[in-house]
Amino acid sequence: MDEFIKQTEQKDKGEGFFELETPRMLEVNLDGLVWAKAGSMVAYHGKIKFDREGILEHGLGTAFKKALTGEGASLMKANGRGKLYLADEGKKIIILNLQNDSIYVNGNDLLAFEPGIKWKIKLMRRIAGMMAGGLFNVHCEGTGMIAITTHYEPLTLRVSPGQPVITDPNATVAWSGNLQPEFQTDISLKTFFGRGSGESIQMRFEGDGFVVVQPYEEVKRVEKG
């Protein structure tokens, strides 16, 4: 037992506001406010209050988009002082430090972000009728930390002028904020896999930036109620 406790106990690493306690557990050294994915809290100590995001807290447009997509990217606010531990289904966690940058993150893969980060929801309307629940992303910009999650090890692909990158929407985690993906249907794949195949729908990235993919096809979940 002593050896197990020694190997697994919490250790302060002095990394700042966000700290990877393990590759799949995020420690938030909270002294104020943090936004986090609803349901991601696994433990905390200190005095912390949790509030689910208000339906109109970020404007009617955001509330409408969330209702329209029906997808599970609800957020909660954790406010107070202490140590907060977040996780999401054992997925690997990556901390990104934005310096006046912007990035799009799949709505299901955004774990937490500092309150100074500006964010808005973007619905991929052209694909909404092709996939169950559509495809819904969060645009984050500004200066501060965000934490995203991936199933297994992520791969970042560079997008260069004249060298587009095509991805499976269900395996696409994030991309640089200056890129605007287009959607295309591969008729040959559609015929090969069948009419309901997700592989027949692809995201095409052109320009100068990057896209992050994971070795897993994440089926978008639809919230009930």
Side-chain angles (χ1 to χ4, degrees):
M1 283 297 296
D2 290 343
E3 184 63 23
F4 170 76
I5 293 172
K6 182 179 179 181
Q7 290 179 358
T8 61
E9 68 179 341
Q10 182 268 333
K11 300 178 181 67
D12 284 322
K13 300 177 183 178
E15 295 176 351
F17 185 64
F18 283 173
E19 183 174 300
L20 280 181
E21 192 62 32
T22 75
R24 292 168 175 78
M25 186 83 69
L26 179 70
E27 177 184 278
V28 183
N29 293 296
L30 192 60
D31 188 7
L33 173 70
V34 69
W35 283 96
K37 186 176 182 179
S40 62
M41 186 275 288
V42 295
Y44 72 91
H45 60 76
K47 293 185 177 181
I48 302 175
K49 180 182 178 182
F50 299 91
D51 293 301
R52 189 157 180 143
E53 176 194 9
I55 187 67
L56 296 177
E57 186 156 351
H58 291 275
L60 184 60
T62 296
F64 173 73
K65 288 176 184 176
K66 293 181 71 171
L68 182 63
T69 60
E71 292 193 34
S74 296
L75 297 172
M76 65 180 182
K77 291 184 293 185
N79 205 337
R81 187 170 186 175
K83 290 186 181 294
L84 170 63
Y85 299 94
L86 304 174
D88 185 16
E89 298 183 343
K91 293 163 67 177
K92 183 178 178 66
I93 299 170
I94 300 101
I95 297 173
L96 303 176
N97 196 349
L98 302 188
Q99 297 292 329
N100 198 28
D101 298 315
S102 67
I103 188 172
Y104 284 93
V105 183
N106 181 295
N108 198 46
D109 299 323
L110 182 61
L111 180 63
F113 55 92
E114 290 192 76
I117 296 291
K118 297 178 182 179
W119 63 277
K120 60 183 177 181
I121 290 172
K122 183 174 177 64
L123 172 64
M124 299 298 183
R125 298 182 185 279
R126 293 184 61 184
I127 202 173
M130 302 179 193
M131 299 174 64
L135 187 64
F136 149 56
N137 300 286
V138 183
H139 181 238
C140 298
E141 64 177 337
T143 297
M145 290 183 171
I146 70 172
I148 66 175
T149 59
T150 65
H151 288 275
Y152 313 108
E153 301 297 325
L155 174 67
T156 299
L157 300 171
R158 293 289 308 181
V159 181
S160 302
Q163 294 184 317
V165 172
I166 293 87
T167 67
D168 181 336
N170 289 328
T172 306
V173 175
W175 61 91
S176 50
N178 61 308
L179 298 181
Q180 296 293 330
E182 294 291 331
F183 292 92
Q184 63 185 34
T185 301
D186 190 312
I187 300 301
S188 61
L189 280 174
K190 189 174 183 179
T191 303
F192 182 75
F193 287 106
R195 293 178 61 86
S197 170
E199 285 84 355
S200 67
I201 305 168
Q202 301 166 346
M203 298 177 76
R204 181 184 180 93
F205 295 88
E206 293 192 75
D208 187 5
F210 65 86
V211 58
V212 182
V213 294
Q214 61 185 359
Y216 182 93
E217 292 189 21
E218 189 169 44
V219 177
K220 307 298 181 288
R221 295 190 299 272
V222 178
E223 282 192 341
K224 303 298 182 181

